Amino acid sequence: MATQNIYILGIESSCDDTAAAVLCNGEILSNVVATQEIHEKYGGVVPELASRAHQQNVVPVIHEALKRANISKNDLTAIAFTRGPGLMGSLLVGTSFAKSMALGLNIPLLDINHMQAHILAHFIEEKGFEKPKFPFLSLTISGGHTQIVKVSDYFEMEVIGETMDDAVGEAFDKSAKILGLPYPGGPLIDKYSKMGNPKAFPFPKPKVGDLNFSFSGLKTSILYFIQKKVKEDPDFIKNNLDDICASVQFTIVNILMDKLKKAVKQTGINRIAIAGGVSANSGIREALVKAEKKYGWETFIPKFEYTTDNAAMIAIAGHYKFLAGEFADMSITAKARIKF
Ligand code: KG4
Ligand code: ZN
């Protein structure tokens, strides 16, 4: 008997990206993201505007994902959606849509944890990309989260370190805001860093115990430093932008790498994967490649489009949930805060 293909539609709406993707047996057929530009002028995501934009985008984005995958909705095997964590109003749009669609098509529904999905993005079938073997450590770094996760199996994950205050993406974005750069400033800090001296301006590293992180002190010390320098020279930022960005990035990457080294030592696991929007950062990517040579780590860096929020990661998590037979029922609700 011929084995049946598994077609999973993934729907992601936890923050400010409305995304849909179709996978067939874990391989990408389409991956569509509508980024909401409306938040740029407010310097951060405005929850009420985000949920309204999801309402507008969700149907066209799913329609486009099915079209690019060249399949009909009737070919779908199951629908996976982000249940949380995220902004409640945003999550409600994807959750309600996924429930209605699964009910209409009479196919299974799969609820996905957004943070687990960031990690499972490594399991999308992709030429030239090896999948990590279990167990491995994931450094999950995004605009909302900073975690070190011990991953023992697809859905067996334990957070062994996390931020006590700001997420690392926020540290990048808030530092960029202090420098007058638009939101989200992380990619811009990365861009200017490439031309700057990382040791030009030393910033203090936080003292926080175990495998946990703290970034709010760094943001404050950057703010005071800039305020002082601008008082002495109003053109300080303009004349030193590359060096300031390189120094900020250098400090953040060092904070992350120090904790990762500690986690490797504590767990004895030296297989390291990175996940989340900030894993697009060139500084952390270079530091990992170096660590591979220096400490003999095995490192896994995802394809760029699977790092920031996307629905392919939701669909691959759905694929493995489908194989495990773990389905959601129609009484499921969105959840803004969820543990693993
Ligand atoms: O995972 P993501 O798309 O959304 C959340 O779930 O938060 O992550 C977005 C975050 C933003 O803070 C953005 O500034 C940051 O990822 N980011 C970067 C880079 N690309 C995206 N930060 C530093 N360097 C980058 N190249
Ligand atoms: Zn995310």
Side-chain angles (χ1 to χ4, degrees):
M1 202 181 80
T3 44
Q4 281 233 302
N5 285 328
I6 302 172
Y7 290 99
I8 307 281
L9 169 68
I11 301 174
E12 155 65 30
S13 73
S14 65
C15 189
D16 60 340
D17 294 303
T18 319
V22 179
L23 297 192
C24 177
N25 302 329
E27 264 179 56
I28 287 282
L29 296 185
S30 65
N31 188 24
V32 180
V33 184
T35 303
Q36 304 175 0
E37 263 133 36
I38 181 130
H39 307 287
E40 224 171 87
K41 64 174 179 233
Y42 298 98
V45 177
V46 184
E48 179 63 26
L49 295 179
S51 44
R52 286 189 214 177
H54 284 305
Q55 284 274 17
Q56 286 172 342
N57 293 341
V58 69
V59 171
V61 164
I62 291 173
H63 182 75
E64 185 63 24
L66 289 168
K67 196 169 126 196
R68 287 193 204 167
N70 203 16
I71 64 162
S72 134
K73 60 184 187 308
N74 298 314
D75 297 322
L76 291 172
T77 312
I79 296 177
F81 70 97
T82 305
R83 184 184 186 203
L87 301 171
M88 193 45 144
S90 293
L91 291 166
L92 280 173
V93 177
T95 304
S96 310
F97 196 92
K99 283 169 74 171
S100 326
M101 195 169 171
L103 190 65
L105 294 170
N106 195 23
I107 54 176
L109 183 64
L110 307 152
D111 63 302
I112 304 300
N113 177 313
H114 179 91
M115 299 311 295
Q116 288 193 342
H118 267 301
I119 297 171
L120 294 173
H122 286 279
F123 293 88
I124 296 169
E125 298 288 342
E126 193 77 49
K127 272 196 194 88
F129 284 79
E130 214 190 309
K131 297 177 201 143
K133 290 197 176 63
F134 300 114
F136 64 91
L137 297 179
S138 171
L139 177 68
T140 312
I141 41 181
S142 74
H145 298 268
T146 306
Q147 298 178 329
I148 300 179
V149 183
K150 185 176 159 193
V151 186
S152 305
D153 206 341
Y154 295 109
F155 298 103
E156 212 183 306
M157 303 187 187
E158 185 195 350
V159 178
I160 57 172
E162 63 190 327
T163 184
M164 302 281 103
D165 41 57
D166 290 350
V168 61
E170 272 179 287
F172 270 109
D173 297 340
K174 288 180 179 173
S175 305
K177 199 171 178 181
I178 295 169
L179 301 175
L181 299 172
Y183 175 85
L188 293 169
I189 293 204
D190 194 6
K191 183 176 148 197
Y192 295 122
S193 285
K194 290 180 183 138
M195 278 110 47
N197 171 10
K199 299 204 172 137
F201 307 110
F203 294 111
K205 279 199 276 180
K207 288 186 183 61
V208 53
D210 298 325
L211 300 175
N212 292 326
F213 299 92
S214 167
F215 289 102
S216 68
L218 175 66
K219 174 193 65 195
T220 313
S221 69
I222 293 168
L223 177 67
Y224 290 164
F225 170 79
I226 294 294
Q227 283 175 340
K228 184 169 156 268
K229 290 291 186 184
V230 168
K231 228 182 236 166
E232 293 162 12
D233 168 15
D235 288 333
F236 177 76
I237 297 178
K238 199 173 91 202
N239 294 338
N240 297 277
L241 188 60
D242 296 345
D243 283 350
I244 303 168
C245 287
S247 302
V248 168
Q249 181 155 311
F250 179 73
T251 310
I252 293 178
V253 169
N254 269 341
I255 294 170
L256 296 173
M257 290 304 290
D258 281 355
K259 293 291 177 167
L260 257 188
K261 280 182 226 161
K262 208 168 172 182
V264 170
K265 216 170 179 185
Q266 274 186 23
T267 60
I269 300 169
N270 67 356
R271 221 175 273 129
I272 313 289
I274 50 171
V278 182
S279 61
N281 183 266
S282 63
I284 189 75
R285 286 177 172 236
E286 274 164 31
L288 277 181
V289 172
K290 271 193 202 149
E292 193 159 75
K293 294 203 182 90
K294 195 164 170 193
Y295 309 115
W297 293 1
E298 208 184 329
T299 63
F300 299 85
I301 300 174
K303 207 175 166 189
F304 189 79
E305 58 257 48
Y306 306 142
T307 58
T308 48
D309 284 351
N310 66 86
M313 68 185 197
I314 305 302
I316 193 70
H319 179 84
Y320 284 101
K321 269 214 157 171
F322 181 84
L323 293 180
E326 289 177 25
F327 305 120
D329 68 38
M330 280 295 154
S331 63
I332 194 139
T333 52
K335 231 173 156 206
R337 290 167 174 273
I338 329 189
K339 290 267 170 208
F340 278 1

PDB file of all heavy atoms in Angstrom, residues 114 118 142 309, ligand 2:
ATOM      1  N   HIS A 114       4.673  28.353  20.523  1.00  0.00           N
ATOM      2  CA  HIS A 114       5.533  29.157  19.654  1.00  0.00           C
ATOM      3  C   HIS A 114       7.039  28.972  19.956  1.00  0.00           C
ATOM      4  O   HIS A 114       7.857  28.903  19.036  1.00  0.00           O
ATOM      5  CB  HIS A 114       5.130  30.631  19.838  1.00  0.00           C
ATOM      6  CG  HIS A 114       5.909  31.613  19.039  1.00  0.00           C
ATOM      7  ND1 HIS A 114       5.514  32.019  17.789  1.00  0.00           N
ATOM      8  CD2 HIS A 114       7.057  32.278  19.292  1.00  0.00           C
ATOM      9  CE1 HIS A 114       6.385  32.889  17.319  1.00  0.00           C
ATOM     10  NE2 HIS A 114       7.335  33.070  18.213  1.00  0.00           N
ATOM     11  N   HIS A 118       9.985  27.479  17.439  1.00  0.00           N
ATOM     12  CA  HIS A 118      11.252  28.123  17.042  1.00  0.00           C
ATOM     13  C   HIS A 118      12.374  27.064  17.036  1.00  0.00           C
ATOM     14  O   HIS A 118      13.198  27.022  16.129  1.00  0.00           O
ATOM     15  CB  HIS A 118      11.621  29.240  18.022  1.00  0.00           C
ATOM     16  CG  HIS A 118      11.135  30.603  17.605  1.00  0.00           C
ATOM     17  ND1 HIS A 118      11.508  31.191  16.422  1.00  0.00           N
ATOM     18  CD2 HIS A 118      10.324  31.491  18.225  1.00  0.00           C
ATOM     19  CE1 HIS A 118      10.942  32.398  16.331  1.00  0.00           C
ATOM     20  NE2 HIS A 118      10.210  32.599  17.408  1.00  0.00           N
ATOM     21  N   SER A 142      14.880  35.851  20.974  1.00  0.00           N
ATOM     22  CA  SER A 142      13.957  36.586  20.103  1.00  0.00           C
ATOM     23  C   SER A 142      13.618  37.920  20.738  1.00  0.00           C
ATOM     24  O   SER A 142      14.221  38.324  21.743  1.00  0.00           O
ATOM     25  CB  SER A 142      12.703  35.749  19.875  1.00  0.00           C
ATOM     26  OG  SER A 142      11.916  35.766  21.033  1.00  0.00           O
ATOM     27  N   ASP A 309       9.913  35.179  13.115  1.00  0.00           N
ATOM     28  CA  ASP A 309       8.615  34.501  13.194  1.00  0.00           C
ATOM     29  C   ASP A 309       8.118  34.067  11.818  1.00  0.00           C
ATOM     30  O   ASP A 309       8.131  34.842  10.870  1.00  0.00           O
ATOM     31  CB  ASP A 309       7.586  35.431  13.864  1.00  0.00           C
ATOM     32  CG  ASP A 309       7.808  35.494  15.354  1.00  0.00           C
ATOM     33  OD1 ASP A 309       8.622  34.694  15.866  1.00  0.00           O
ATOM     34  OD2 ASP A 309       7.168  36.321  16.002  1.00  0.00           O
TER      35      ASP A 309
HETATM   36 ZN    ZN B   2       9.119  34.271  17.843  1.00  0.00          ZN
END
